[in-house]
Amino acid sequence: MNFAFTSSGAVTETYAVGLLRGMLEVPSPSYQERALADFLADAMAVLGFRSHIDAVGNVIGVIERGDGPTLMLLGHLDTIPGEIPVHCEDGKLYGRGAVDAKGPLAAMICAAASAVDFPGRLVVVGAVEEETPCSRGAVAIRVTHDQPDALIVGEPSGWSSVVLGYKGKLDLRYTVRLPSTHPSNPAPKASDLAVACWAALVDLLGPDASLGVFDRPGATLCQLNADLTTATVDLSIRTPPGHDGEALVRDLRDRLPVGEIEVLNSVAACRTGRSTPVARALVSGIRRLHGQPRFLVKTATSDMNTLAEVWDVPMATYGPGDSRLDHADAEHIVLSDYLRGIDVLSIAISELAHLPVRSGGDQQPVPEKALQ
């Protein structure tokens, strides 16, 4: 007998909490996710998944119960650096990644394992390197997998909210090198040009630029190293839907007399609608648990952006946890919210059982060795 399940086939609350605690006890900062991937490959096998770790380190679990639709649930393994002692206190489970985003991923695993009546194929992915500029794990998934019939991305939305969109991101690096000179020389210095680069970007974005507003661009000066002869400036611009990143880069280059602007990473904003099958299914789950559903758009960026650039399928982001605790020193998840999140996802999976099955599209899987 598998004591992970109730008599009805649902994952028990005790197992669900133990799974999340076990995940939190395995540190997994970006680029160091393998131990957690191994842990989850074993855990998913116990829960009835066919599990494996792909060429870039993503852990993937598959349950096939017929020729119905394919639903993918994708979260991420990695966290920011820094450990938080794992402990329970007052109904809260503390640990690095409790919210961002091991809690949502654990909820997806438990909900998929409980979906005994789903007539198709459930694919759960724990992706690597979401917290890094290039989202290598999600990029590999969109290359090696045919697009599913629907997608739920696991990030903290709060158990009663659904995220419909994220800003895009444009990461730039300005580098300039000049001959050595005396500080009193009136010619521009590398340090002057570094400051001018930031000022030019702020001017180009305009007075209404804001990091906190979804429909406007906003910039962050991430790093500046400069002296009289050399300077490097790292810039991150959060972009709204429809923003012309290429024009921004071109205009910024025109403003700088010397030096080079390098595009380190670029991902477009994404936004979906309230009436998509995924959004409706998640709302149905929230309402059946007597919650008042809310729709959100985020000014950050997630793996939903990466997948939406290539996959044209119904999708939304959902997961238990308070996103205000992302990266916080007191990161924790309320266990009752975590368990509600599993129930919401279980109901949503059931609601999505009758999605029309896609023909498979024109995308062909790429051998995993091509990604190594």
Side-chain angles (χ1 to χ4, degrees):
M1 179 178 180
N2 190 333
F3 292 99
F5 295 96
T6 66
S7 58
S8 65
V11 171
T12 67
E13 292 187 358
T14 299
Y15 186 91
V17 172
L19 174 66
L20 177 54
R21 180 162 191 149
M23 292 169 65
L24 297 179
E25 289 172 345
V26 181
S28 59
S30 300
Y31 311 112
Q32 300 175 46
E33 302 100 325
R34 183 58 189 239
L36 180 58
D38 288 337
F39 173 85
L40 286 178
D42 292 341
M44 287 197 283
V46 169
L47 292 173
F49 292 86
R50 188 177 71 253
S51 62
H52 73 283
I53 297 170
D54 72 10
V56 302
N58 298 320
V59 62
I60 301 167
V62 179
I63 295 176
E64 296 190 69
R65 294 199 173 100
D67 57 1
T70 294
L71 171 62
M72 180 177 286
L73 303 102
L74 182 142
H76 65 91
L77 301 174
D78 60 324
T79 69
I80 64 163
E83 294 188 36
I84 298 171
V86 179
H87 66 284
C88 284
E89 183 179 338
D90 297 329
K92 303 169 184 175
L93 180 57
Y94 289 77
R96 176 61 69 211
V99 168
D100 186 19
K102 295 182 181 182
L105 177 56
M108 288 177 159
I109 293 169
C110 293
S114 301
V116 293
D117 295 326
F118 190 81
R121 186 168 180 262
L122 295 169
V123 182
V124 178
V125 178
V128 298
E129 300 178 31
E130 189 274 345
E131 299 284 2
T132 72
C134 294
S135 294
R136 184 168 174 244
V139 169
I141 291 298
R142 76 185 191 188
V143 170
T144 59
H145 290 245
D146 286 327
Q147 56 185 1
D149 299 299
L151 170 70
I152 301 175
V153 175
E155 291 282 357
S157 60
W159 81 267
S160 60
S161 298
V162 179
V163 178
L164 299 180
Y166 288 90
K167 272 187 172 182
K169 187 157 70 82
L170 180 62
D171 295 319
L172 305 178
R173 174 170 293 163
Y174 173 61
T175 306
V176 61
R177 294 177 177 84
L178 297 175
S180 180
T181 188
H182 193 275
S184 64
N185 188 324
K189 318 301 186 297
S191 52
D192 298 332
L193 293 170
V195 174
C197 175
W198 170 247
L201 176 62
V202 170
D203 184 59
L204 286 168
L205 293 179
D208 294 330
S210 173
L211 288 170
V213 178
F214 184 77
D215 292 323
R216 299 174 188 168
T220 299
L221 176 57
C222 298
Q223 184 169 296
L224 189 155
N225 295 310
D227 58 24
L228 299 184
T229 60
T230 61
T232 301
V233 185
D234 285 349
L235 307 162
S236 183
I237 303 101
R238 301 289 175 162
T239 59
H243 187 266
D244 190 343
E246 292 183 1
L248 177 65
V249 173
R250 184 172 58 250
D251 291 344
L252 185 58
R253 284 179 175 138
D254 290 344
R255 296 280 190 102
L256 302 169
V258 294
E260 295 185 359
I261 294 285
E262 178 185 1
V263 179
L264 301 178
N265 181 57
S266 177
V267 63
C270 64
R271 187 165 188 170
T272 186
R274 301 183 180 196
S275 62
T276 67
V278 173
R280 292 201 308 268
L282 290 165
V283 164
S284 178
I286 292 165
R287 285 180 172 151
R288 282 174 57 180
L289 269 67
H290 310 293
Q292 182 61 46
R294 293 193 310 146
F295 292 106
L296 307 174
V297 290
K298 295 289 189 77
T299 56
T301 306
S302 79
D303 279 341
M304 181 171 161
N305 299 71
T306 302
L307 295 167
E309 283 192 319
V310 173
W311 286 354
D312 181 18
V313 301
M315 64 177 70
T317 293
Y318 176 81
D322 183 347
S323 63
R324 292 173 296 183
L325 295 170
D326 289 3
H327 303 184
D329 291 337
E331 185 175 0
H332 65 270
I333 193 166
V334 177
L335 287 173
S336 59
D337 289 349
Y338 167 60
L339 295 172
R340 286 191 190 101
I342 295 172
D343 290 341
V344 169
L345 285 165
S346 296
I347 294 166
I349 291 170
S350 178
E351 295 274 334
L352 293 168
H354 303 294
L355 276 170
V357 178
R358 300 173 64 92
S359 63
D362 56 5
Q363 179 178 342
Q364 297 299 315
V366 172
E368 289 184 357
K369 65 181 181 181
L371 299 168
Q372 292 178 320

